[in-house]
């Protein structure tokens, strides 16, 4: 019973952050600020939706002691770790590529990278 | 030899994580999976040992580093992540942004430390590593909200990027 509530809470938090990420893509003005909304909010949201999957699998495993649910738990945890690493790396790669290509942060109060790599 | 053992251990552990639950209770793994995993890990260990742990393989064996790294990810880093996510959520809803790229000397002496710090910064919402100066190990960070006054300063200390904890000090203790 408590577990069911926890699963719903985790799903609600995860989906709200994912939704906010989408709203951010539509609202923010340039590629860098959009990357903030897109990559980060979805990471945090996905951590919580994955938590819901883990809790669900745990509950079914306790009821049925079927080994495939243990497998599901570990696969989900591994997916979160991989997501955390690839998300940071790809966000950096996109931002750097955009800056090298000449996309200036717009609006922006300062750009120190411009000074050394014009 | 050390490089081979480290690579073998890592790939075998990863294989076991992926196949957990294959055995019949109370066993976690079936004997076929254990045997096949060992064979695969030997092949991977022989093939990838020079890529996986090229320098200082012994440092990766120190269990205190692993404990600190896990403590860092579960404790200070996760709290920073949560706080910064709420901050970005607030900025998405209100639209109050003040973006800019600032220069942050990383203060790390190893490549792993710089990678760790850059990834921590990028994964924390509101800050994004755009570029890196290869010679000085300075990071160029795009912030979604540059606090007023900060944009006039030539360089910003890495500690000021994080709101609550001294993350660079944690990273230095893990990687050096």
């Amino acid at each position: 019973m408590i577990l069911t509530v926890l699963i719903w809470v985790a799903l609600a938090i995860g989906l709200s952050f994912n939704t906010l990420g989408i709203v951010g893509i539509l609202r923010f003005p340039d590629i860098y600020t959009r990357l903030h909304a897109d990559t980060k909010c979805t990471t945090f949201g996905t951590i919580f939706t994955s938590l819901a999957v883990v809790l669900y699998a745990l509950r079914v495993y306790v009821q049925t002691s079927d080994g495939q649910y243990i497998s599901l738990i570990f696969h989900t945890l591994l997916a979160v770790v991989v997501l955390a690493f690839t998300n940071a790396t790809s966000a950096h790669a996109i931002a750097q590529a955009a800056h090298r290509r000449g996309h200036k942060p717009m609006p922006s109060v300062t750009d120190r990278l411009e000074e050394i790599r014009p | 030899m050390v490089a081979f053992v480290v690579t073998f251990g890592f790939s075998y552990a990863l294989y076991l994580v992926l196949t957990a639950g294959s055995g019949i209770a109370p066993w976690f793994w079936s004997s076929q999976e254990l045997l096949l995993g060992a064979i695969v890990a030997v092949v991977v260990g022989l093939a990838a040992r020079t890529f996986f742990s090229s320098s200082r393989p012994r440092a990766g064996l120190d269990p205190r580093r692993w404990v600190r790294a896990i403590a860092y990810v579960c404790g200070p880093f996760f709290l920073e992540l949560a706080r910064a996510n709420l901050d970005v959520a607030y900025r998405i809803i209100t639209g109050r942004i003040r973006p800019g790229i600032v220069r942050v000397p990383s203060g790390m002496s190893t490549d792993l430390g710089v990678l760790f710090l850059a990834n921590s910064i990028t994964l924390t919402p509101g800050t994004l590593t755009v570029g890196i100066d290869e010679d000085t190990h300075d990071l160029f960070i795009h912030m979604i909200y540059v606090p007023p006054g900060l944009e006039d300063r030539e360089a910003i200390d890495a500690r000021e990027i994080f709101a609550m904890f001294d993350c660079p000090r944690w990273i230095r203790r893990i990687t050096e």
Side-chain angles (χ1 to χ4, degrees):
Chain A
M1 182 58 210
I2 298 168
L3 212 53
T4 316
V5 174
L6 278 179
I7 291 171
W8 279 103
V9 168
L11 268 184
I13 295 174
L15 287 180
S16 357
F17 271 102
N18 278 347
T19 315
L20 276 175
I22 295 164
V23 175
I25 297 177
L26 298 172
R27 265 178 75 95
F28 280 160
D30 69 344
I31 182 165
Y32 304 98
T33 42
R34 279 180 181 161
L35 272 176
H36 285 297
D38 173 24
T39 59
K40 319 311 169 43
C41 278
T42 49
T43 312
F44 200 64
T46 309
I47 288 175
F48 274 94
T49 45
S50 305
L51 183 69
V53 171
V54 168
L55 289 175
Y56 173 76
L58 208 59
R59 190 180 70 178
V60 180
Y61 177 72
V62 169
Q63 283 165 356
T64 63
S65 55
D66 187 345
Q68 63 171 327
Y69 289 99
I70 290 288
S71 196
L72 179 62
I73 290 172
F74 281 109
H75 284 219
T76 314
L77 291 178
L78 200 66
V80 170
V81 174
V82 172
L83 182 79
F85 271 94
T86 53
N87 208 319
T89 316
S90 56
H92 163 68
I94 293 170
Q96 187 166 41
H99 202 278
R100 286 200 178 156
R101 193 76 182 74
H103 285 279
K104 302 294 169 237
M106 223 20 224
S108 158
V109 290
T110 174
D111 189 353
R112 297 280 174 202
L113 187 56
E114 174 84 54
E115 292 161 12
I116 66 152
R117 203 188 284 154
Chain B
M1 189 59 203
V2 180
F4 170 73
V5 172
V6 170
T7 317
F8 171 82
F10 184 79
S11 49
Y12 198 24
L14 206 59
Y15 190 91
L16 291 183
V17 166
L18 278 173
T19 55
S22 62
I24 300 153
W27 303 104
F28 249 42
W29 294 281
S30 60
S31 50
Q32 295 100 313
E33 293 286 14
L34 287 175
L35 184 64
L36 186 64
I39 294 168
V40 170
V42 167
V43 174
V44 171
L46 286 174
R49 64 182 190 277
T50 50
F51 309 108
F52 186 69
S53 62
S54 51
S55 66
R56 302 202 308 154
R58 271 161 229 275
L61 285 176
D62 188 349
R64 281 173 304 172
R65 286 167 187 275
W66 286 95
V67 172
R68 275 188 210 138
I70 291 168
Y72 167 70
V73 170
C74 297
F77 182 66
F78 189 78
L79 289 174
E80 283 285 348
L81 199 65
R83 189 206 66 84
N85 260 291
L86 291 174
D87 185 64
V88 170
Y90 164 77
R91 301 205 182 284
I92 288 172
I93 293 165
T94 60
R96 260 182 224 159
I97 53 172
R98 202 166 179 276
I101 296 180
V102 296
R103 185 190 191 110
V104 177
S106 65
M108 299 289 161
S109 58
T110 60
D111 281 350
L112 185 64
V114 178
L115 174 77
F116 221 118
L117 182 69
N119 259 5
S120 294
I121 287 170
T122 305
L123 214 51
T124 313
T127 51
L128 170 67
T129 312
V130 179
I132 181 167
D133 191 328
E134 303 276 351
D135 304 323
T136 57
H137 284 178
D138 285 0
L139 300 172
F140 292 90
I141 294 175
H142 183 272
M143 295 176 83
I144 202 164
Y145 186 83
V146 182
L150 216 61
E151 71 266 25
D152 299 326
R153 280 163 53 191
E154 192 62 38
I156 293 167
D157 196 88
R159 268 172 303 186
E160 292 177 62
I161 298 291
F162 299 96
M164 297 186 292
F165 295 94
D166 192 354
C167 290
R169 202 169 68 100
W170 274 85
I171 292 167
R172 227 171 283 133
R173 284 176 61 203
I174 293 166
T175 57
E176 286 167 16

